[in-house]
Amino acid sequence: MTPLRALLHDSHFRRGARDMLDFAPGIAAWALVTGVAMAKSGLSLPLAVLMSLTVYAGSAQLASLPLLASGAPMWVIWAAAFCVNLRFVIFSAQWRTHLGHLPRARRLAIGYLLADLNLIAFQRAWPGAKREPGQVPYILGGIATIWLTWQIPALLGIFLSAAIPTEWGLGFAGTLAMLGLTYGLMHDRSTWTAALVAGAAAVAAYALPLKLNIVVAIAAAVAAGFMMEQADRAARKLRGGA
């Protein structure tokens, strides 16, 4: 049996793929909106397809598209995408325990394909913060489901954008989908605080040009989340020493 066929028959791989199906409707709606947005932002069809297949970061794509359309400087576009994806630095620290033993090339490939929701599903399935057999196939199963759930609707949105009227309000539908997915990520006091701070900062900085209020909101959220984590860690140390 080939390694790929063995993986497809692995019970952990199948479980990982099934667990991600809970998020499929929201991911598909978000991907469709992103595909339509790419096609309607002025990108050529080949560039839109290339962006979907290579960038593979819906929030960064949606943040950068208005900047591309408005002719913003490249450094602003890169800064916006970088700030939006800063959360993956935190996520990578959580993945290290479970993936750190793999060869570097494999870690890089898996890290590129991992999404926010992969971490949520993984932490539900493997609540212990330790490496256990079956975790890597489980992660790969989740990656397979999310990648297909994202790319197929995104490509449909790109190719069918001309047939989708603006009056359908897909932008609002995409916002609702993103809100639903974001809510799933908010599982403790730190993430709730970061979300509230981000919302307040985005509104306060709304007058900034080139949608820089998004960058401000992300920076404020990362700072707030980091401070909350530090405070919680200090509180746990005090309780442990008491």
Side-chain angles (χ1 to χ4, degrees), residues 78-207:
W78 278 101
F82 176 78
C83 288
V84 167
N85 283 335
L86 270 178
R87 65 193 187 280
F88 287 102
V89 176
I90 300 172
F91 296 163
S92 66
Q94 296 174 286
W95 284 120
R96 181 178 178 85
T97 301
H98 313 288
L99 299 175
H101 64 289
L102 298 177
R104 180 180 299 173
R106 196 174 181 190
R107 293 200 311 269
L108 288 173
I110 292 175
Y112 166 71
L113 293 168
L114 282 170
D116 314 63
L117 298 175
N118 290 113
L119 183 59
I120 294 176
F122 180 83
Q123 290 177 334
R124 289 177 181 173
W126 308 86
K130 59 182 180 179
R131 180 156 57 95
E132 299 179 35
Q135 289 180 339
V136 174
Y138 180 92
I139 292 169
L140 294 176
I143 284 174
T145 296
I146 284 294
W147 193 87
L148 291 172
T149 303
W150 175 268
Q151 294 296 353
I152 293 174
L155 294 175
L156 285 174
I158 293 170
F159 288 110
L160 301 178
S161 61
I164 299 177
T166 307
E167 293 76 13
W168 283 14
L170 282 180
F172 183 64
T175 301
L176 291 178
M178 292 181 68
L179 285 174
L181 296 173
T182 302
Y183 180 76
L185 295 170
M186 296 163 62
H187 52 80
D188 57 23
R189 187 174 63 170
S190 297
T191 50
W192 274 101
T193 301
L196 292 173
V197 169
V203 173
Y206 184 76

